[in-house]
Structure formats: structure tokens, C-alpha cells
Amino acid sequence: MTGKRDKPVPPEAISPESSSPVCYIDEADDSYMGFASKAEIAAFLAELAEAERLGQPADEMLRRMLPRIRDDHLHRELSARLKPQPGT
């Protein structure tokens, strides 16, 4: 009885192993990265609208939330509502 032996595989046919696992961070939810979730943004926008309706200052609310807004368009829109600070 003779055993079948595997043929040697040439080095160029072997794919190199990755030194680290694949990263799927681009598929993660924004809240995982510290950005506001859609629900948080919706609640914030409702709170902001109510404050503006009542004539309350909203600049501090905006300054707290802006770093957590990932959407560039929404970030620009909300930034435009900020009153310029003295000295800037």
C-alpha cells in the first residue's frame, strides 16, 4: 500500500497571512464612535426648536452638540446658527 503525498506548493502560490484581523469600523454605528445617534439628534433638534420658539438662548446647546454631529451638512447648518463669540 502506497500513500499519496501532497505536492509541494510554490511560495508564490501561498497568500500571506494578515498580521491583524479585518477592521469593520466603517460599518459601525456612529454612536459607537462617540457621535450622536439619529434618535439623539432628533431629540436635540426638537429641544433646539422649542428653545428658539421660547426665545431662549441656544448657543450653549449648539456648542455642546456640534462635536457629536457627524453629518457635514447638518453640522454646517447648526454652526451657522451660532452667534459669533467676542474676540473671534
Side-chain angles (χ1 to χ4, degrees):
M1 209 168 167
T2 59
K4 225 179 193 185
R5 292 192 168 197
D6 291 333
K7 293 182 182 178
V9 178
E12 62 273 5
I14 300 173
S15 61
E17 287 189 30
S18 177
S19 60
S20 62
V22 176
C23 180
Y24 293 104
I25 197 68
D26 62 325
E27 296 174 12
D29 187 66
D30 286 346
S31 61
Y32 177 79
M33 304 273 286
F35 293 105
S37 68
K38 289 178 183 179
E40 288 174 299
I41 291 171
F44 170 75
L45 292 174
E47 184 182 342
L48 180 64
E50 181 66 12
E52 288 175 340
R53 187 183 71 75
L54 296 173
Q56 297 173 342
D59 285 0
E60 188 56 37
M61 290 172 60
L62 287 165
R63 285 190 184 89
R64 278 194 322 264
M65 184 55 109
L66 278 171
R68 299 192 61 220
I69 304 290
R70 185 172 188 181
D71 181 87
D72 291 336
H73 179 74
L74 179 59
H75 194 281
R76 272 191 305 276
E77 271 188 28
L78 293 176
S79 294
R81 293 184 184 187
L82 276 174
K83 295 178 184 130
Q85 289 184 326
T88 57

